[in-house]
Amino acid sequence: MALVMKGRARVQSQIWISKMMTSAVQPDVRIERDLLGEMPIPANALWGVHTRRAVENFPISGEPVGAFPDFIRSFITIKRAAARANRALGYLDPERADLIETACSLLLERTDYSRDFIVDAMQGGAGTSTNMNVNEVIANVALKLAGREPGDYGVLHPNDHVNMAQSTNDVYPTALRLGVLDATQPLLAALDGLAQSLGEKALTFSPILKVGRTQLRDAVPMTLGQEFRAFQSAIETEIRQIREQSAAFLDVNLGGTAIGTGLNTDPRYADMVLEELRDLTGLPIRAAADRIEATSDVGVFVLFSGVLKRLALKLSKISSDLRLLSSGPRAGLGEIILPAVQAGSSIMPGKVNPVIPEAVNQVAYLVAGYDVTLTMCAEGGQFQLNPFEPMIGYCLFSSLKTLTSAVELLTTKCISGIVADAERCAYLFSRNIAIVTALVPVLGYDFCAGIARRALAENRTVTELVLQEKLLSREELAVLLQPELLTRPNVGRAGAVIP
C-alpha cells in the first residue's frame, strides 16, 4: 500500500505540472528562474525550479528518490554537517546556519519523503537533480521557519547557502555510501532472524536420519538437522560478508567538490565537515586516501553488489532445496512439509504450492539482474566522474529493499512453520542403496558396487542382501551402520568387526 501511495503522489505531481504548462499563472503559483528561464511552481511547494525541470526530464521509473528514505536522510545529514562546518569557518552566518540546521532536523523527523523529494530515481546528470531537490527543500523549509515564503531565495539560497562548499560529485556518492550502510541494517536484522529460525529447526530435526543427495541422486546418509544446519551456516557466512564489505563505505570523498580537488572550499573544510558528520552519525567516517580517485571510482559499489548477489543466490538455492524436499505430497520427496499459506490452483482443489520459496527465487533473479546493470554502470564512467551513480544507487537500494522483504517472508511464512515427515524420511533412508558406501572399508569398492547394482535390480535393500549372502552378521552390520558413523565423519570407526 505504501508503494501504491508513493506512486499516486508521483502521478499527481506530474499531472499538476502538465496542467501548469497549459494554464495561465494563478495566485497559488510562484515564479522561479534558472539559466533556462522562468517556470511556475506551486506557491507552497518545498521544491523549486530545478526539481520541476528534473521531474519533466526524467519520467522514467515512476519511483522518486523519496522512496529510498535512508538515502534522503543521509543527504540531509550531510547538508547539516556542511552548515555546521561553514558556520565554524565563518563563511555562513549564524542565523542562516541555524535555519538550515533546524530545517534539516525537522526533515529528519519525517517518515514519508516521497511528497517533497520527487525527482525520479533514474536520472541523468550524475545525481545533480537529486542534490538540487534536496537543496531546494531544505532552503524552503528554512525560509518558512524564518517567516518567509518559499522561493524567497534572496534571504536563503539553495545553492549559495545550503550547497555551500559542496558539489553533487562529492555529496551524492557520500550520501549513497551512508544511505546504503543504513539500508543494510534491516537486511542484517532479517538475516539474523532467518539464521536463528534455521538453527531452531536444525536442533529439532537433529535425530531424523535421511538420504543425502548429490546431483539429484541418492547419496550417503545425513540427518535432516544437518541439512538445516548447513542452511544456517550459509546465511551466517553471508552476514559476515555483508558486514565486512559494507565497512568500505566509511571512506568518502566529501570535501572534494567537483572532481576531488576541493575547489571553492577552505583548506580546513574537508576535515571539519567530516568531523561534523562523524558527530551527527556516530560512524567512524574517513576521508578517502585520494579524493580525485574516489570521486570517479565506484568499485566499492561493485563489490557490495556482488555480495548481495551472492546472498541472493544462496537464498535461491535454499529455497529450491525446500521446494524439492517438500515436493509431493504423494509423488515427490515429501521429507518436509511447508506451511500452507494459500490455495495453489484455480482448477485442482486442495493443491498447495511452495509460493514463499518461489517468491524468494524470483527476488534472487532480480537482484542478480541489478548486479549486471550496476556492473555496466561502473564500467561506463569516464575521466573524473561516473555519471551513472543514480542507477547504481537505484540498483543497490532496490536490492536491499527486496532482499529484506524476501528474507522476512521466508522466515515468518515458511521456515518457522516447517515440520518434518519423519516417517517418510525413515522409509527413504531404509531404501537408500548408497548406504553401501559405509561397507566399502570392509568389503571393498568393487564388491560393494556389485551389491548396489543387485539391490537396485532386485528392488531390495543393501542390508537384506548382505545378511542373505552372509557377508556380515547382523551385529557387524549394526556396528558399521551406526547413525553416528554414518553422519558424523569425525567419529572413529573403533569397534567395527572386519571378517
Side-chain angles (χ1 to χ4, degrees), residues 410-423:
L410 184 62
T411 303
T412 59
K413 289 187 175 292
C414 183
I415 302 297
S416 63
I418 291 177
V419 296
D421 188 334
E423 185 177 341

Side-chain angles (χ1 to χ4, degrees), residues 159 179 250 485:
N159 290 73
L250 295 171
L485 295 181

Side-chain angles (χ1 to χ4, degrees), residues 140-156:
N140 284 312
V141 171
L143 286 170
K144 293 180 75 171
L145 287 170
R148 301 282 185 158
E149 294 298 320
D152 192 0
Y153 299 143
V155 175
L156 192 150

Side-chain angles (χ1 to χ4, degrees), residues 276-494:
E276 296 292 352
L277 197 55
R278 284 190 287 269
D279 180 64
L280 289 170
T281 63
L283 296 172
I285 300 167
R286 305 175 292 264
D290 186 327
R291 284 191 174 88
I292 293 178
E293 186 273 341
T295 301
S296 63
D297 181 66
V298 294
V300 64
F301 300 122
V302 176
L303 293 174
F304 189 73
S305 178
V307 172
L308 294 183
K309 180 179 71 173
R310 194 176 96 159
L311 165 65
L313 297 180
K314 285 195 177 182
L315 288 170
S316 185
K317 192 270 182 185
I318 292 172
S319 296
S320 295
D321 284 354
L322 294 175
R323 290 164 56 205
L324 289 169
L325 290 171
S326 65
S327 59
R330 296 288 177 83
L333 298 180
E335 293 180 342
I336 61 174
I337 302 170
L338 303 185
V341 296
Q342 66 182 54
S345 174
S346 62
I347 188 173
M348 292 176 281
K351 189 172 188 289
V352 177
N353 295 329
V355 294
I356 301 301
E358 288 172 350
V360 175
N361 285 135
Q362 293 173 83
V363 167
Y365 307 152
L366 181 64
V367 171
Y370 282 140
D371 180 68
V372 173
T373 300
L374 187 150
T375 301
M376 298 304 296
C377 289
E379 189 278 334
Q382 306 92 15
F383 301 122
Q384 279 69 59
L385 183 67
N386 188 305
F388 306 131
E389 286 185 354
M391 183 60 76
I392 289 174
Y394 180 87
C395 290
L396 285 176
F397 286 119
S398 297
S399 291
L400 287 165
K401 182 187 295 186
T402 53
L403 278 171
T404 300
S405 297
V407 171
E408 290 172 348
L409 285 175
L410 184 62
T411 303
T412 59
K413 289 187 175 292
C414 183
I415 302 297
S416 63
I418 291 177
V419 296
D421 188 334
E423 185 177 341
R424 176 68 174 171
C425 289
Y427 171 76
L428 293 176
F429 178 82
S430 70
R431 308 289 296 175
N432 183 17
I433 294 174
I435 200 172
V436 75
T437 306
L439 308 182
V440 169
V442 176
L443 301 178
Y445 182 93
D446 291 337
F447 197 86
C448 287
I451 295 174
R453 285 196 301 270
R454 185 178 168 190
L456 183 61
E458 298 176 11
N459 193 25
R460 301 174 68 185
T461 67
V462 168
T463 54
E464 284 178 327
L465 286 174
V466 170
L467 291 174
Q468 176 185 308
E469 299 299 328
K470 298 182 180 180
L471 300 173
L472 294 169
S473 69
R474 192 175 298 276
E475 292 75 17
E476 290 168 340
L477 265 180
V479 171
L480 291 170
L481 300 182
Q482 294 177 67
E484 292 80 6
L485 295 181
L486 295 175
T487 62
R488 295 173 57 191
N490 58 319
V491 175
R493 302 189 68 86

